[in-house]
Amino acid sequence: MQPLIFTVDQLQEVARQVISESKSKFLCFYGGMGAGKTTLIKSIVKELGGVSNANSPTFGLVNEYFDEKNELLAFHFDFYRIEDEIEALDMGLEDYFNAEAWVFMEWPEKIASLIPEDAVTIHLQFIDENTRSIEFNMD
């Protein structure tokens, strides 16, 4: 797929596109520090009807988001600080994956062999302070 270049002003539109074209509830976000992974996830949570402001779960490893009816909407993982896949399994990753919720994963390369086969890969790249590029595989 050809990369899509977008600005901060177009973020909600990109979030809508990711949601509408996704064929899976598992979204894997790849990109370096500052590429916009968390920012895009915030927009996706908002677009899905999340009532709380999404933020990076770097230290807690996972955040949960709910809709206005207080029903579980999504899990947001940040695997940056884990040492190995066993650590992810020990935190109950399989239970999260089996829940009826969206699953957003930052730094999924840290748990490569645990990622569901139908997961969508989203690659973000920093261009400048207001501009990013995104490529995603929705198959």
Side-chain angles (χ1 to χ4, degrees):
M1 170 178 216
Q2 184 76 9
L4 170 68
I5 308 298
F6 67 97
T7 63
V8 174
D9 295 340
Q10 298 168 309
L11 199 52
Q12 281 308 126
E13 182 180 321
V14 171
R16 272 191 294 278
Q17 184 177 354
V18 167
I19 292 165
S20 70
E21 293 183 18
S22 181
K23 298 198 178 17
S24 173
K25 67 177 183 173
F26 301 101
L27 305 182
C28 296
F29 294 82
Y30 296 87
M33 291 283 194
K37 298 179 297 292
T38 301
T39 303
L40 179 55
I41 291 169
K42 286 180 182 184
S43 294
I44 292 171
V45 169
K46 180 179 176 185
E47 197 61 36
L48 289 171
V51 292
S52 60
N53 199 13
N55 55 44
S56 179
T58 301
F59 295 102
L61 295 180
V62 63
N63 286 343
E64 297 177 351
Y65 304 117
F66 297 88
D67 65 16
E68 61 187 23
K69 296 177 185 171
N70 205 31
E71 293 178 1
L72 182 63
L73 185 65
F75 296 111
H76 176 187
F77 292 92
D78 185 333
F79 295 114
Y80 182 74
R81 297 193 187 285
I82 69 165
E83 298 295 322
D84 56 39
E85 292 179 344
I86 299 298
E87 194 175 336
L89 290 172
D90 286 347
M91 68 179 280
L93 186 65
E94 291 171 323
D95 292 332
Y96 289 107
F97 283 1
N98 289 322
E100 291 297 318
W102 287 83
V103 178
F104 309 128
M105 295 172 268
E106 295 188 50
W107 304 99
E109 56 270 31
K110 298 277 218 147
I111 62 156
S113 73
L114 303 176
I115 296 172
E117 286 184 25
D118 65 337
V120 171
T121 59
I122 298 171
H123 295 271
L124 290 161
Q125 188 168 6
F126 179 90
I127 295 176
D128 63 36
E129 283 303 314
N130 294 312
T131 312
R132 304 293 189 271
S133 75
I134 185 172
E135 290 182 74
F136 44 89
N137 170 16
M138 297 298 181
D139 298 328

